[in-house]
Amino acid sequence: MLLTLLAATGLGLLRIRNLFAVVMLAGVYSLLSAGLFTVMDAVDVAFTEAAVGAGISTVLFLGAMALCGHHESRPGHTPLLPLFVVCLTGIALVYGTMDMPPFGGADNPVHHHVADHYIEESYHEIGIPNVVTSVLASYRGYDTMGETTVVFAAAVGVMILLIGARTRRERPGGEGGDG
Amino acid sequence: MREEVIVRVGAKVLAPFIITFALYVHFHGDYSPGGGFQAGVILGAAFALLALVYGLDEVQRVLPPWFVQACAAMGVVIYAGVGVATMLLGHNYLGYNALAPDPSHAEHGQHYGILLVELGVLVTVFGVMVSVFYLFAGRGRKAQ
């Protein structure tokens, strides 16, 4: 049911050329995926998807839309070559899944490497009921620190791009031209 | 949107609850879904909502751009600082057991450590979200 709604929203996203409706549909898409994650018991992921996908990124898209107008122009080329490439990639991906263990199988390697230890021992070792939090912040603390640094670095990149563009426009022909 | 009474009052009523919810998501992340990242996004969303309704200038009087940019850097410093602190206490980098007040219950240190590093994540994500929002929202205006 949710997957059908997701597919319908995705098709709608492709067909509509009014960018305001596209932004709203993208928010709907995120909310539906969050529902799907909840159904699959991945509540933490669903939470993040709802907050980031349906919340902040909708606002940022609206902000970007205020800069570039409400209508998407028609592409100047035929969609046949991209369609061919996408089909080829899809076939390659499906071929790749042939070797994978059956979906949801209890004996799959992913469930038996370190997951058993986390689920059985994390309450005694960390003392926290939410296994996701103890894996994220304690067992995998270095990874999360790297993630935080990546988020920070991405923001610095955006700042350099946007603030740099602004100062260049305010000083046309200034010495900071190509910086 | 400055003349819409319902939107203005609604945003004003909702904002404190959104901010409180963000803090709940952070400090209750040990027991329920959520954590620093989600809390930071929700906190940023609260200020984005206020800025959309009341205008960017009003929000920037409370949260100046230099402050949120400093937040984005401070979060990483908090996270890495916890690691350095545990090293100074004689444990491994990010070995939270060092933070336990009573060494016989070393796992209590994990609580403090996780809360502190998640606080670092919260501060960084909040700073990043609000800074990026400021840049996008302020850009079109400055260009005109």
Side-chain angles (χ1 to χ4, degrees):
Chain A
M1 177 66 194
L2 277 170
L3 272 178
T4 321
L5 280 175
L6 262 185
T9 320
L11 283 176
L13 273 171
L14 289 178
R15 303 298 307 178
I16 297 177
R17 300 238 160 246
N18 181 351
L19 284 182
F20 185 75
V22 168
V23 171
M24 288 300 136
L25 272 182
V28 171
Y29 190 89
S30 285
L31 210 57
L32 284 173
S33 342
L36 197 66
F37 292 139
T38 317
V39 171
M40 294 167 92
D41 280 340
V43 202
D44 283 86
V45 186
F47 204 161
T48 316
E49 178 69 41
V52 177
I56 282 279
S57 57
T58 307
V59 173
L60 288 183
F61 276 136
L62 285 178
M65 210 175 61
L67 299 176
C68 67
H70 284 216
H71 205 78
E72 181 186 3
S73 54
R74 290 202 160 272
H77 54 81
T78 59
L80 284 179
L81 179 67
L83 185 69
F84 176 70
V85 173
V86 166
C87 286
L88 209 64
T89 318
I91 290 170
L93 287 177
V94 170
Y95 177 72
T97 59
M98 300 281 194
D99 279 344
M100 280 169 62
F103 178 73
D107 295 333
N108 290 354
V110 67
H111 298 307
H112 286 289
H113 179 45
V114 283
D116 289 339
H117 178 79
Y118 289 157
I119 290 170
E120 285 164 11
E121 299 295 331
S122 78
Y123 190 73
H124 301 294
E125 286 177 3
I126 313 288
I128 283 178
N130 188 354
V131 184
V132 176
T133 301
S134 44
V135 170
L136 183 109
S138 193
Y139 292 114
R140 291 274 177 269
Y142 286 13
D143 289 3
T144 310
M145 190 172 97
E147 276 168 29
T148 317
T149 318
V150 164
V151 169
F152 171 64
V156 170
V158 171
M159 280 175 207
I160 289 172
L161 277 175
L162 291 186
I163 296 179
R166 186 189 298 166
T167 46
R168 215 173 306 157
R169 201 182 307 120
E170 282 165 2
R171 288 181 300 162
E175 54 269 19
D178 296 303
Chain B
M1 252 186 251
R2 285 159 187 256
E3 288 81 32
E4 304 277 350
V5 177
I6 295 177
V7 177
R8 286 177 68 100
V9 175
K12 199 167 218 168
V13 170
L14 277 177
F17 288 105
I18 299 176
I19 293 170
T20 318
F21 181 61
L23 293 178
Y24 164 78
V25 166
H26 172 239
F27 286 106
H28 213 253
D30 292 358
Y31 300 97
S32 59
F37 187 86
Q38 290 91 336
V41 173
I42 295 171
L43 200 59
F47 287 99
L49 170 74
L50 286 175
L52 282 178
V53 176
Y54 288 93
L56 203 57
D57 295 326
E58 295 287 321
V59 173
Q60 286 191 342
R61 276 171 53 207
V62 183
L63 280 179
W66 65 263
F67 178 77
V68 287
Q69 284 164 15
C71 273
M74 275 312 294
V76 181
V77 173
I78 292 174
Y79 203 128
V82 172
V84 174
T86 54
M87 265 173 88
L88 289 179
L89 289 168
H91 284 66
N92 289 333
Y93 190 72
L94 292 178
Y96 306 133
N97 283 354
L99 300 170
D102 174 12
S104 58
H105 290 97
E107 74 271 15
H108 288 182
Q110 298 281 344
H111 270 287
Y112 297 110
I114 288 176
L115 270 186
L116 279 173
V117 298
E118 294 264 3
L119 185 72
V121 177
L122 181 147
V123 172
T124 289
V125 171
F126 165 70
V128 166
M129 290 296 165
V130 179
S131 317
V132 172
F133 173 74
Y134 278 174
L135 287 171
F136 270 90
R139 211 174 158 215
R141 232 180 17 167
K142 292 267 166 60
Q144 280 159 12

